[in-house]
Every structure is written in C-alpha cells, then in structure tokens.
Amino acid sequence: MGADVRVGGHDRLECLLIPSGSGDRPPGAQQCSQCGGPSRRKHGPSTQPSRLDTHGAPPILVDADASLPRLGCLFAMVIHKADRIKAGSAASSAAGRQELADLAARALALRQHQPREAIVLAEEVLVGCGRTGFAQERSVAERALGLAHKEMNDLVAAERHLRRAVAAGRRSGSSQILAMAQMSLGYVLAAAGRTAAAYHAVSAALPQLGGAEAGQALMQRGVVQHFRGRYAEAAVDYGAAIDVARREGDRLVEARARNNRAVLPIGDHVLSGEADLERAAELFGELGLDLAAADCRWNVGHLAARCGDLARALEIFADTERQYRRLDVPRPGLLLDRFELLAAVPLIGEAAAMAEFAVAELHRRGLDSDLAEALLARARAELLAGDPQRAAGSAAAAYRRFRRQHRPVWYAFARHIELRARFAQGTRTPAQLRALSDSAATLASAGLTGLALTAWHEAATVAFAVNRPSQARTLLALAARHRRGGLAAERAQGWHAQARLHRLDGNDRAAMSMLQRGLSVLDEYRVTLGTSELRARSSAHGQELAREGLEIAIATGAPARVLAWAERWRASTLRIQPVSPSTDPELTAALARLRVAARDAEDAALAGGSQLAAMLRQQSALEANVRDLARRSQGAGTGGGTPVCVPDIAAITAQLGPAVLVELLSHGDRIWAVLVRDGRASLHDLCALPAVLKHQGRIRFALRRLVTLGASAGASAALEHSAGLVDADLFGPIRRRLGDLPLVIVPGQALYALPWAALPSCVGRPVTIAPSAATWLAATQRSAPGGRPVLVAGPRLPDALSEVAALAALWPEATALVGEQATVDTVTAALSGARLAHIATHGTFRADNPLFSTLELADGPLFAYELERLSTAPGCVIASACESGRAEATLGDELMGFVSALLASGTRTLVAALLPVPADRTVALMTELHRRLRAGTPAAPALAEAQQVLRATGDPVDLATAAAFVCLGAG
C-alpha cells in the first residue's frame, strides 16, 4: 500500500507565555498570550506523526477588526510617553518606572498583531532603562522583542533577545520574571528544532510558579513535549493545565490547552477532539481573539481530514485561509497541510509541486523545524512519483535534521520513508528486514498505524525474499490485526495482510475473499468523495490488493475468474454512481472568471502581448481556485452510491451479440487477454508489454507527423511497420477466434492511447473501445435521451462552419450553434438531454490536469469540468476537435479528461480523436459518419465504414485522419 491514505494537517498548536510585570497581568489583559508566531504542528492522520508549528493567538481582547484604529491611537500615546522617558524626565522616578513597565507590557501585547510596532516600543523601553537599570522592565522588553521577531520568523534574533531577557530576569531578583523569560526561550528553542534545550528551559521555570501561573507553565511544557513527539506526556500536561485553568478562572489557558489536546495523534479521540476545539473557539471568541479562534477552526478541518472527510476538510481549510488573509497573518507552514491533503488522495503532481515550494519557502524564512518536515514531504512525493533514488536522498536529509532536533518520532518517520525507497529500488537483505521490522515497531508504538502497516507488509516481502517465512508470518499477523478498525486504508491493508497469510497456508480461495473485503472497504470510502477526479486518483490505494487478486486468478487459469479480477478495480470510478451535478454558485462564478482569464491569455499569446506571463499566473491561480471548489463537493448523500457490480460472462454475452470482447490486462511485463465469444471465455498470454509500448509510441508519432506535415514516405513506412508488429503481438495468438466479427476492446491503462484503427486487424471492422467491460455493459443498457440533435461550430476554425452546414442538411431538426451563438452557456444548455451532439471546435488536452482540457467556444473555453455538471448527458457525442478523445490513464486504469467526464455523466457513445487532425479531411470523414448515423447505423460500424471511405482515396494523410478516431462507450 504505497500511498498514505490518512490525511494529515498542520494542526494549529497554541503556545503560551507567562504575563509580564511583577506578578501582575498586563493592564486590560487576562494574560500575555502565547509565545510565538506561526508555528504549527502537523499530524498526518495516523499515518503521519504530529507536526508542530509555532503560532499563537493575539493578546488583544477586542475584536481584531475594531482593534486596528485603537492600536494606532495607542501607538501614538506610548511613543509620546517614550519620548518623555528618553529625555530623562522620569528615569529615576517611581512614576517613570511605572511608565516603562506599562510600555513594556503594551509592547508584549502588540507583539503578534503588530510585531513591528512592538519592536519599536520595546526598544524605547530599553533606551529608557539605560545600560543596566530596571532589570524587570528590561527583561519584559527583551521578551517582547524576542517574541515579535519570532512572529516575523527571525528565530536568530528571537533567541538573542530572549537570552537577554533571561539574563535580565536573573538580575531582577524576581523568580517569576526569570521563569517567564525561560518559558519564552523554551518555546522559541522548540520552534528552532532544539527540543532538548527547550525542555530544559521550561522545566527550570516550572518550580518557580504557582496558581494560574502554574497552569500556564504546564501548558507550555505540554507544547514542548508536543514538539518532541512525546504525545502521552503532552496529553498529561495539557489535562493538568485545563484543570488548573478552570479552577483559577483562566479562560485563555483553558482554550489553548484544549486546542492542543484536540490535535494530539494518540488514541481514537476525534469526537472528543472536536468537542475540545468547539469549547476552545467559544472561549477565544469571548476573549476577542479572532486569530486563535481561526486556528481552532483550522484544526477542526484537520480532524475531518484524519477521518477521511476530504470535502469537509477542504471547505474548512479554504474558509480559514480567507480569515488568515483578512487578519493579514502569514502562515507558511500551511503549505505542508496542503501537501498532506494532496498526497492522501493521491494527487501526485500537485503534491510534488507543493513540497518543492514548501522547501524553498521555509528555507527562505529560516523555519528549520518546518523545513525538516518539508524535506520529508518532498521525499514522500518523490516516492509516490516513482523516483526512489531521489526519495531516499531527501528522506536521509530530513532524518539528519530530525536527529539534530531530538525529534524521535519524526526521525523514525524519515527513516521509514528512506527504507521504503530502498525497498522500491529492489533491496532485499537481512539487514533491511531488521531495519523495516524495527521501523514498524517504533511507528506502531508511537500510534502511527498506517505507516506501521506499510512497514510490516514490506518487511514481510523482504522476509520471503531472504527465506524467512516464519518471520514473514509474524509480521503479517501484526498487520492483520488492524483489518477491523481504523481508517479505510488501514483496514484495507489489514485485510491484505490476512489474504497473504491465507496464501501462506495454500488457501487461495480464502485469500481472494479477504482481498475482496479490503477492496470493498476502499469502495465505501471512495463513494464519499464528491468528484470523479478524487475518486479516480484514490484508486491508487487499491492497486496492490487488485494486483494480488489478479495474480492468484491467473495462476488458476480460469478465464472467468481472471476477467472478474481484471474488472474489479479497472475504471471503477465509472462504475460508481455519479454524484449529483454541482450547483454551487461560487464554482459557477469561478469557472466564468477562469474562462475570461484563459481567453485573454490566449489572445495575448496570439498577439505577442507583453502581459502574457502575468495573465498565465492569474489563470493558474484561478484554476487552483476551481479545483479547490470542485473538490469540496460531497459524495455520499448527494447522489453518490455503491459501485455497479462486476459483470459475469453471462451478462456480457447477453449484450455482446455476434461481437467479441477482448479484455487486455498487464501482469508483470506480459500482456494477457480474456476473450469472450458465443458465451465462452478463454485466457491467452499474448506478448511482452515493453515491445508493444515502444511501437505504440512510434505509431502515434508517425500519424502525428502525417497529419501535421503532410504525406511522407518515411512516416508511412514507419507506421506500416510498427502497426504490423503491434497487430501481430496483440491479435496473432487469437486471430482465429476473432474471425471478422465486431470487436469490443478493453485496452487498459497501458494501451488506451493506441490508435486502434491503424492496426490491420481493425481496419474496416467495427471496433468499440471501453474503459472496462462493466462500463461498456452499463452504456449499452442505458436509454438514450430524446432531445433534439445539437451541432456546434467553434471560432477560428473556418472548416467548422462548412462541417456544421453539411451536417445540418442531414439533421434539419437539429439546433445549430455557430459564431457568436456558440457560447458556453448556450452550448451546455443545448447539450443537456440531446440525443446526438456534434462539436467542431479547436480542442486542447491538458496533461497536467485533464479536467482543464478545453473546447474553444465563442466566449472562451468550455472545460471538461463543466461537462460533469450537465443535468442530463447527451446520448451520443461526436467531437471532431483535436485530441478530444485523449485521456490520462491513471493507476487503476482510470481515465481523466473529456472521455471520463462524458461517460461518467451518462453519455452512451463518444466518437473522438486521439490525435491532432486536419480540419479539411475531418469534414469529409464526419459527413460520411453522420450519413450512416442518420440511416440508423450504430456508431461503431458507422465510423468503420466512414473510415474506409476516407482510406479509399489512398492519400496517407486521409489514412492518418481516419486512424486518429475511435468509438468509445456502447459502440
């Protein structure tokens, strides 16, 4: 189970410092707030250790919005006082000393909300104190300076001033002043990753304090323990701090301790954690601490993520980020929260980009504690992306930093990722077995179940490789204990472990039953996700279970069993009932803004405008907003449902008629096929996968060259050669059983991009391509809508007008949308419920995010995202745009792009191009296709006949144009 499924989030951890003054609280404040700026703690759901970032709430009792003008008046008043002190008018008087104390207290109160003003005030106090006088006031001022610098992420300056505060506190003779300075220093040291020194500083302060101050000290020690990864000890300190705070009436300490206790990664305390956060937010609200209340809200999102509720977590994070921006408070550690959510799905490309950005940003800010975690995030992203060599290097760098910072849970996590990278590189040695076993034990004892499960599985694999089956059994038994409790991914790994134990006993039937249980757990989780994108990406979590089931099935040699396992996790997103189309007005507005930005950027690119770079940056930001809004859609409860069952041979045969179904599947480096004909299934080991993939690339290159550069003897010869080799590999062993019958081909992830009409065995034969047998069967059983046909011509494509004009003659009842009529709103409204739709436009496929692939219309691009929002999908869609049939095939043979958007929404059949196509030749092909559709011929044979008409010219460009199109869905 390579991907982490538990979603981590940077928990917002409240820190606290003791109040300034000679044992009195600052005027107008219950206490002096916490000691630091934006630190935070992160815990990846049970798969990541808790992560601590230093941040806290402002010590201002009024509402943050109302406080700003008052702060300006206060600043002017205290500067006036400072001027008098600096002039020496009060330097030796009791009144002057009190003014210094008041000014120092105000500097401390301002240090988070207005850190620069706090620095100015504190420096004025130091001037007023002279070189050696007023040690108590000097200590408080130095504390204010240190904490203000911490707020601005300058840890070096923060430590320097806080050490001066400790020295002045010793000279003051006040144990409480000294203790406060030590507490502040301890927190900053913890934020810098020097947790041992931080614990020493805080422990030295504790004996000097009693009453409410003791509660504050316990709270602070809990924070340091939290940093150190000693979560049980932190829980004890937080609980004791809450008890003292409630007894003393200290609402601020109680709120902070509850906030921190809520996000401890120990036990199953999500419900109690939410209760703690609700109470903490209520207390912060009573105190007017908006930032702290926002931090509580962020942590509620973190708990939602830990439960796997991604939609709720994303919504809470987005709302809280807006509040942070309103409060104008930087939170660089939030980058790591974003990474956790992306990695959990997994959205690998976005996660990798976020990890790289986090490393650069946190390094720039000098946040060493967070930087170590960012390096570990980068290692995890590299491992997910299939680059174990780089992952091992990044994990080792993170491990060294965590060791220096004395953070044992974190360096165990880093070591775990390094070992997994070595495992992915093929390392199988007794030493690695010991290391993985030790890593699993450490992670399990820290409560990091998801990580421990992965380590147990990989250690068991190594144990088999080094001939230690009894040790493998022990490791798998430890993992299997978690099959009935925990998050979905943990339970799935538990069932996988139980399946492996059954295989050890030679009971393959029981093993397959356990694997089915694990996949069912993941199905239950996926239906809660509200977008096809998240559902498709999350298929990665079931890959290893599905692979093991397929391995067992192939070993049995039973075609029906192999087909069932090939189908069990193939394009399963399309088997899940689609969620109800989103009517979120915010998403609608965001898509409209993105459309305008994309159109303006395109115009600037064509005109060579100097503002293109800025426009592209704006477009990228708007795309990120659309992604976030779409991903916040809920799944179960808004139309999501259980997956459609995997079909059996009888169900397929009933719909197949005289056609032949060929389901291709990759197992190891071989391509296998299950062939279904006349109610019987057969299993075939066809060929080596690498050779077919090599020639698939050459076929696509040759076709692209022909349609873009024109006829070329070299390209034609290369196409004929590679197509012949692929045809012999895939169809040679089964040619006798195929005869000349129509084909339904389920190609799988590896071969989805193959232009099938270029293969000799497919020329002139009706061929339907389907993501899975289940989706093909569902499409054939789906009733077509009865709305009027729709014909659309996009801008900047003169041949589209002649194409639509020719088709309108065949479909006089059709709604034709051309020129300025072909706007996004008009086209999508017409598409909804149409029995047939033809779209002739420029098309662009976005490999980085296929759901941002576009069809160009009069007022800007129509995004694939928007097709998922149709209330009723059109029955048959013919898209003559370039690459309109192209899709990204992800893990689990999931498709992403226009194809998946339409098929998931209910479209029965789609005819589209896998490659760029020339406009003039396409008009001829489309006219022949529609002439046959109008006569009642189904789409697959109609396309085959139209392709033959175009091929008959003998022109290589016509041949390439014909080969670029495929028929998908029902056929």
Side-chain angles (χ1 to χ4, degrees), residues 364-385:
R364 184 180 69 82
R365 292 177 177 269
L367 295 174
D368 194 61
S369 179
D370 283 350
L371 176 59
E373 297 170 37
L375 288 169
L376 181 56
R378 184 170 70 184
R380 292 166 58 202
E382 289 163 348
L383 190 58
L384 284 171

PDB file of all heavy atoms in Angstrom, residues 364-385:
ATOM      1  N   ARG A 364      13.790  29.825   3.035  1.00  0.00           N
ATOM      2  CA  ARG A 364      13.948  31.279   2.947  1.00  0.00           C
ATOM      3  C   ARG A 364      13.611  31.959   4.258  1.00  0.00           C
ATOM      4  O   ARG A 364      14.256  32.922   4.660  1.00  0.00           O
ATOM      5  CB  ARG A 364      13.050  31.819   1.833  1.00  0.00           C
ATOM      6  CG  ARG A 364      13.185  33.315   1.572  1.00  0.00           C
ATOM      7  CD  ARG A 364      12.255  33.758   0.466  1.00  0.00           C
ATOM      8  NE  ARG A 364      10.869  33.708   0.857  1.00  0.00           N
ATOM      9  CZ  ARG A 364      10.262  34.684   1.557  1.00  0.00           C
ATOM     10  NH1 ARG A 364      10.949  35.758   1.942  1.00  0.00           N
ATOM     11  NH2 ARG A 364       8.985  34.583   1.875  1.00  0.00           N
ATOM     12  N   ARG A 365      12.607  31.441   4.952  1.00  0.00           N
ATOM     13  CA  ARG A 365      12.173  32.049   6.203  1.00  0.00           C
ATOM     14  C   ARG A 365      12.973  31.567   7.409  1.00  0.00           C
ATOM     15  O   ARG A 365      12.774  32.072   8.510  1.00  0.00           O
ATOM     16  CB  ARG A 365      10.686  31.764   6.432  1.00  0.00           C
ATOM     17  CG  ARG A 365       9.769  32.476   5.450  1.00  0.00           C
ATOM     18  CD  ARG A 365       8.311  32.095   5.691  1.00  0.00           C
ATOM     19  NE  ARG A 365       7.402  32.821   4.816  1.00  0.00           N
ATOM     20  CZ  ARG A 365       6.829  33.982   5.109  1.00  0.00           C
ATOM     21  NH1 ARG A 365       7.098  34.565   6.268  1.00  0.00           N
ATOM     22  NH2 ARG A 365       6.006  34.563   4.265  1.00  0.00           N
ATOM     23  N   GLY A 366      13.822  30.578   7.218  1.00  0.00           N
ATOM     24  CA  GLY A 366      14.652  30.104   8.323  1.00  0.00           C
ATOM     25  C   GLY A 366      13.900  29.282   9.351  1.00  0.00           C
ATOM     26  O   GLY A 366      14.330  29.184  10.503  1.00  0.00           O
ATOM     27  N   LEU A 367      12.783  28.674   8.953  1.00  0.00           N
ATOM     28  CA  LEU A 367      11.995  27.857   9.887  1.00  0.00           C
ATOM     29  C   LEU A 367      12.506  26.418   9.821  1.00  0.00           C
ATOM     30  O   LEU A 367      11.997  25.583   9.081  1.00  0.00           O
ATOM     31  CB  LEU A 367      10.514  27.933   9.526  1.00  0.00           C
ATOM     32  CG  LEU A 367       9.879  29.320   9.686  1.00  0.00           C
ATOM     33  CD1 LEU A 367       8.463  29.332   9.169  1.00  0.00           C
ATOM     34  CD2 LEU A 367       9.906  29.761  11.142  1.00  0.00           C
ATOM     35  N   ASP A 368      13.531  26.130  10.612  1.00  0.00           N
ATOM     36  CA  ASP A 368      14.238  24.860  10.484  1.00  0.00           C
ATOM     37  C   ASP A 368      13.354  23.672  10.843  1.00  0.00           C
ATOM     38  O   ASP A 368      13.430  22.612  10.224  1.00  0.00           O
ATOM     39  CB  ASP A 368      15.481  24.870  11.366  1.00  0.00           C
ATOM     40  CG  ASP A 368      16.424  23.735  11.030  1.00  0.00           C
ATOM     41  OD1 ASP A 368      16.896  23.687   9.879  1.00  0.00           O
ATOM     42  OD2 ASP A 368      16.671  22.887  11.910  1.00  0.00           O
ATOM     43  N   SER A 369      12.496  23.833  11.855  1.00  0.00           N
ATOM     44  CA  SER A 369      11.637  22.728  12.256  1.00  0.00           C
ATOM     45  C   SER A 369      10.690  22.355  11.122  1.00  0.00           C
ATOM     46  O   SER A 369      10.552  21.183  10.761  1.00  0.00           O
ATOM     47  CB  SER A 369      10.839  23.110  13.512  1.00  0.00           C
ATOM     48  OG  SER A 369       9.985  22.068  13.899  1.00  0.00           O
ATOM     49  N   ASP A 370      10.037  23.339  10.546  1.00  0.00           N
ATOM     50  CA  ASP A 370       9.147  23.082   9.426  1.00  0.00           C
ATOM     51  C   ASP A 370       9.911  22.635   8.188  1.00  0.00           C
ATOM     52  O   ASP A 370       9.419  21.830   7.399  1.00  0.00           O
ATOM     53  CB  ASP A 370       8.346  24.339   9.090  1.00  0.00           C
ATOM     54  CG  ASP A 370       7.214  24.582  10.075  1.00  0.00           C
ATOM     55  OD1 ASP A 370       6.946  23.684  10.886  1.00  0.00           O
ATOM     56  OD2 ASP A 370       6.621  25.670  10.035  1.00  0.00           O
ATOM     57  N   LEU A 371      11.123  23.160   7.997  1.00  0.00           N
ATOM     58  CA  LEU A 371      11.915  22.796   6.828  1.00  0.00           C
ATOM     59  C   LEU A 371      12.223  21.304   6.834  1.00  0.00           C
ATOM     60  O   LEU A 371      12.183  20.644   5.787  1.00  0.00           O
ATOM     61  CB  LEU A 371      13.207  23.608   6.780  1.00  0.00           C
ATOM     62  CG  LEU A 371      14.168  23.262   5.646  1.00  0.00           C
ATOM     63  CD1 LEU A 371      13.493  23.440   4.284  1.00  0.00           C
ATOM     64  CD2 LEU A 371      15.426  24.122   5.736  1.00  0.00           C
ATOM     65  N   ALA A 372      12.547  20.759   7.997  1.00  0.00           N
ATOM     66  CA  ALA A 372      12.808  19.323   8.071  1.00  0.00           C
ATOM     67  C   ALA A 372      11.589  18.533   7.620  1.00  0.00           C
ATOM     68  O   ALA A 372      11.703  17.532   6.890  1.00  0.00           O
ATOM     69  CB  ALA A 372      13.193  18.937   9.502  1.00  0.00           C
ATOM     70  N   GLU A 373      10.419  18.986   8.023  1.00  0.00           N
ATOM     71  CA  GLU A 373       9.198  18.299   7.629  1.00  0.00           C
ATOM     72  C   GLU A 373       8.924  18.468   6.134  1.00  0.00           C
ATOM     73  O   GLU A 373       8.382  17.571   5.482  1.00  0.00           O
ATOM     74  CB  GLU A 373       8.040  18.805   8.470  1.00  0.00           C
ATOM     75  CG  GLU A 373       8.225  18.501   9.952  1.00  0.00           C
ATOM     76  CD  GLU A 373       7.205  19.194  10.826  1.00  0.00           C
ATOM     77  OE1 GLU A 373       6.043  19.302  10.399  1.00  0.00           O
ATOM     78  OE2 GLU A 373       7.565  19.625  11.928  1.00  0.00           O
ATOM     79  N   ALA A 374       9.289  19.629   5.594  1.00  0.00           N
ATOM     80  CA  ALA A 374       9.113  19.847   4.161  1.00  0.00           C
ATOM     81  C   ALA A 374      10.036  18.931   3.356  1.00  0.00           C
ATOM     82  O   ALA A 374       9.651  18.412   2.303  1.00  0.00           O
ATOM     83  CB  ALA A 374       9.386  21.302   3.817  1.00  0.00           C
ATOM     84  N   LEU A 375      11.252  18.714   3.840  1.00  0.00           N
ATOM     85  CA  LEU A 375      12.157  17.784   3.161  1.00  0.00           C
ATOM     86  C   LEU A 375      11.583  16.368   3.172  1.00  0.00           C
ATOM     87  O   LEU A 375      11.690  15.635   2.188  1.00  0.00           O
ATOM     88  CB  LEU A 375      13.530  17.798   3.841  1.00  0.00           C
ATOM     89  CG  LEU A 375      14.369  19.057   3.617  1.00  0.00           C
ATOM     90  CD1 LEU A 375      15.575  19.055   4.555  1.00  0.00           C
ATOM     91  CD2 LEU A 375      14.838  19.135   2.170  1.00  0.00           C
ATOM     92  N   LEU A 376      10.970  16.001   4.288  1.00  0.00           N
ATOM     93  CA  LEU A 376      10.337  14.690   4.363  1.00  0.00           C
ATOM     94  C   LEU A 376       9.138  14.621   3.412  1.00  0.00           C
ATOM     95  O   LEU A 376       8.915  13.590   2.758  1.00  0.00           O
ATOM     96  CB  LEU A 376       9.903  14.403   5.794  1.00  0.00           C
ATOM     97  CG  LEU A 376       9.244  13.042   6.042  1.00  0.00           C
ATOM     98  CD1 LEU A 376      10.139  11.905   5.578  1.00  0.00           C
ATOM     99  CD2 LEU A 376       8.909  12.884   7.525  1.00  0.00           C
ATOM    100  N   ALA A 377       8.380  15.704   3.329  1.00  0.00           N
ATOM    101  CA  ALA A 377       7.258  15.745   2.379  1.00  0.00           C
ATOM    102  C   ALA A 377       7.777  15.561   0.955  1.00  0.00           C
ATOM    103  O   ALA A 377       7.169  14.845   0.143  1.00  0.00           O
ATOM    104  CB  ALA A 377       6.508  17.068   2.516  1.00  0.00           C
ATOM    105  N   ARG A 378       8.886  16.208   0.642  1.00  0.00           N
ATOM    106  CA  ARG A 378       9.443  16.045  -0.706  1.00  0.00           C
ATOM    107  C   ARG A 378       9.842  14.598  -0.965  1.00  0.00           C
ATOM    108  O   ARG A 378       9.617  14.067  -2.054  1.00  0.00           O
ATOM    109  CB  ARG A 378      10.656  16.967  -0.880  1.00  0.00           C
ATOM    110  CG  ARG A 378      11.234  16.912  -2.290  1.00  0.00           C
ATOM    111  CD  ARG A 378      12.267  17.992  -2.522  1.00  0.00           C
ATOM    112  NE  ARG A 378      13.492  17.749  -1.765  1.00  0.00           N
ATOM    113  CZ  ARG A 378      14.530  18.590  -1.740  1.00  0.00           C
ATOM    114  NH1 ARG A 378      14.449  19.741  -2.387  1.00  0.00           N
ATOM    115  NH2 ARG A 378      15.606  18.303  -1.052  1.00  0.00           N
ATOM    116  N   ALA A 379      10.424  13.944   0.052  1.00  0.00           N
ATOM    117  CA  ALA A 379      10.802  12.543  -0.105  1.00  0.00           C
ATOM    118  C   ALA A 379       9.571  11.678  -0.381  1.00  0.00           C
ATOM    119  O   ALA A 379       9.590  10.792  -1.244  1.00  0.00           O
ATOM    120  CB  ALA A 379      11.523  12.053   1.151  1.00  0.00           C
ATOM    121  N   ARG A 380       8.496  11.938   0.331  1.00  0.00           N
ATOM    122  CA  ARG A 380       7.266  11.161   0.130  1.00  0.00           C
ATOM    123  C   ARG A 380       6.700  11.401  -1.273  1.00  0.00           C
ATOM    124  O   ARG A 380       6.212  10.471  -1.924  1.00  0.00           O
ATOM    125  CB  ARG A 380       6.248  11.525   1.191  1.00  0.00           C
ATOM    126  CG  ARG A 380       6.658  11.084   2.586  1.00  0.00           C
ATOM    127  CD  ARG A 380       5.821  11.752   3.650  1.00  0.00           C
ATOM    128  NE  ARG A 380       4.418  11.482   3.470  1.00  0.00           N
ATOM    129  CZ  ARG A 380       3.440  12.243   3.969  1.00  0.00           C
ATOM    130  NH1 ARG A 380       3.737  13.322   4.670  1.00  0.00           N
ATOM    131  NH2 ARG A 380       2.183  11.925   3.782  1.00  0.00           N
ATOM    132  N   ALA A 381       6.752  12.660  -1.735  1.00  0.00           N
ATOM    133  CA  ALA A 381       6.251  12.960  -3.075  1.00  0.00           C
ATOM    134  C   ALA A 381       7.097  12.258  -4.131  1.00  0.00           C
ATOM    135  O   ALA A 381       6.565  11.720  -5.117  1.00  0.00           O
ATOM    136  CB  ALA A 381       6.254  14.475  -3.306  1.00  0.00           C
ATOM    137  N   GLU A 382       8.402  12.243  -3.936  1.00  0.00           N
ATOM    138  CA  GLU A 382       9.287  11.570  -4.891  1.00  0.00           C
ATOM    139  C   GLU A 382       9.027  10.070  -4.911  1.00  0.00           C
ATOM    140  O   GLU A 382       9.067   9.434  -5.969  1.00  0.00           O
ATOM    141  CB  GLU A 382      10.742  11.870  -4.527  1.00  0.00           C
ATOM    142  CG  GLU A 382      11.131  13.320  -4.818  1.00  0.00           C
ATOM    143  CD  GLU A 382      12.401  13.764  -4.104  1.00  0.00           C
ATOM    144  OE1 GLU A 382      12.869  13.035  -3.195  1.00  0.00           O
ATOM    145  OE2 GLU A 382      12.916  14.847  -4.433  1.00  0.00           O
ATOM    146  N   LEU A 383       8.730   9.504  -3.760  1.00  0.00           N
ATOM    147  CA  LEU A 383       8.419   8.076  -3.704  1.00  0.00           C
ATOM    148  C   LEU A 383       7.099   7.786  -4.423  1.00  0.00           C
ATOM    149  O   LEU A 383       6.987   6.819  -5.190  1.00  0.00           O
ATOM    150  CB  LEU A 383       8.347   7.633  -2.244  1.00  0.00           C
ATOM    151  CG  LEU A 383       8.256   6.124  -1.984  1.00  0.00           C
ATOM    152  CD1 LEU A 383       9.446   5.388  -2.588  1.00  0.00           C
ATOM    153  CD2 LEU A 383       8.177   5.859  -0.484  1.00  0.00           C
ATOM    154  N   LEU A 384       6.084   8.629  -4.202  1.00  0.00           N
ATOM    155  CA  LEU A 384       4.808   8.462  -4.895  1.00  0.00           C
ATOM    156  C   LEU A 384       4.971   8.587  -6.406  1.00  0.00           C
ATOM    157  O   LEU A 384       4.297   7.908  -7.178  1.00  0.00           O
ATOM    158  CB  LEU A 384       3.808   9.512  -4.405  1.00  0.00           C
ATOM    159  CG  LEU A 384       3.176   9.295  -3.033  1.00  0.00           C
ATOM    160  CD1 LEU A 384       2.386  10.534  -2.621  1.00  0.00           C
ATOM    161  CD2 LEU A 384       2.264   8.074  -3.040  1.00  0.00           C
ATOM    162  N   ALA A 385       5.894   9.474  -6.827  1.00  0.00           N
ATOM    163  CA  ALA A 385       6.101   9.723  -8.254  1.00  0.00           C
ATOM    164  C   ALA A 385       6.978   8.666  -8.905  1.00  0.00           C
ATOM    165  O   ALA A 385       7.270   8.750 -10.107  1.00  0.00           O
ATOM    166  CB  ALA A 385       6.709  11.108  -8.460  1.00  0.00           C
TER     167      ALA A 385
END
